[in-house]
Amino acid sequence: MVNLVYRDPSFTNENVFIDCMSELSSIDPCMEASSLSQLERQIIKGNALCLVFFTESLTPLQQVFIERLLTVTALPIIVNAYAWDEELLKSLLQCGRVTFVPEKLTPKRLKSLVGLAKIRFNSASTMLEKVKELDEKCTDLKRVSRAKSLLQRQGVTEAQAHKMIQKQAMDKSISFAEMANEIILAAQQLEAKRVHQIGACAHGANSKA
């Protein structure tokens, strides 16, 4: 596992970069990527501990690249820039998994920044997982409500519909939400078949006419 470092060609502070590389190497093995494509390949391999991204000015293209990295890997990212667009930066930092360092980065601070970036990343990732779980629960509740509504159209009460879904779920050894989804899909298939039959009948009647 290594700390990855990328230096955009616009970043000209050679002394800061060399000192930062030295500081990072004292923490863990360090590797410099010479291009964005090489950086992406290294990250996709999944052996990176942290990424430190040096640039003179944070551009929209760089931001899109960083956001794409966040979708394919779990990696704390530190971005150091001397110029940036406020609105674009807000968008980048909303996920909570990127630590931004404005202007000159002091090498001596780098070790603590890496630790902070990992803490922020883990906290944000945990929060995202919780949001995802809540979203899935809301989706499941909507499916169950929809399935009950479909069964109630057949003349049963909500309580009876609940028991019917529960029993079928137990019989099939699947979750309540999965059974509800099966009921919804079956109802959609029946409706599609009914519409098709109506269309076929109408076409036949027109042909005879």
Side-chain angles (χ1 to χ4, degrees), residues 20 29 35 42 57 61 74 95 97 105 112 117 122-123 126 133 137 144 147 163-164 169 193-194 198:
C20 284
S35 66
Q42 290 298 325
S57 178
L61 180 62
C95 68
R97 296 188 290 171
L105 173 57
S112 59
N122 291 335
S123 297
T126 300
E133 288 176 9
K137 286 181 180 179
V144 170
K163 289 181 180 179
M164 290 171 65
K193 184 177 180 181
R194 185 183 71 83
I198 292 174

Side-chain angles (χ1 to χ4, degrees), residues 167-182:
K167 183 179 185 307
Q168 291 179 51
M170 291 177 64
D171 290 344
K172 292 189 175 185
S173 298
I174 60 177
S175 70
F176 200 92
E178 287 173 327
M179 189 63 244
N181 195 49
E182 286 193 10

Side-chain angles (χ1 to χ4, degrees), residues 5 15 27 45 60 71 76 92 106 108 134 153 159-160 167:
V5 179
N15 291 333
I27 305 171
K45 287 181 181 179
T71 65
L92 182 63
T106 305
K108 290 183 179 180
L134 288 172
R153 292 179 186 178
Q160 290 171 329
K167 183 179 185 307

Side-chain angles (χ1 to χ4, degrees), residues 65-137:
F65 175 80
I66 293 170
E67 289 173 344
R68 186 169 76 245
L69 290 182
L70 291 170
T71 65
V72 299
T73 185
L75 182 69
I77 298 176
I78 298 173
V79 177
N80 176 222
Y82 285 77
W84 58 89
D85 180 277
E86 290 287 347
E87 292 304 315
L88 289 177
L89 184 60
K90 286 179 183 178
S91 174
L92 182 63
L93 298 181
Q94 277 179 352
C95 68
R97 296 188 290 171
V98 175
T99 298
F100 180 71
V101 182
E103 301 179 350
K104 186 176 180 179
L105 173 57
T106 305
K108 290 183 179 180
R109 292 176 52 211
L110 198 51
K111 186 178 293 187
S112 59
L113 280 171
V114 169
L116 174 63
K118 290 178 179 179
I119 291 171
R120 293 186 72 247
F121 179 86
N122 291 335
S123 297
S125 296
T126 300
M127 183 61 66
L128 287 173
E129 283 299 318
K130 288 181 179 179
V131 170
K132 183 180 178 182
E133 288 176 9
L134 288 172
D135 186 58
E136 289 175 351
K137 286 181 180 179

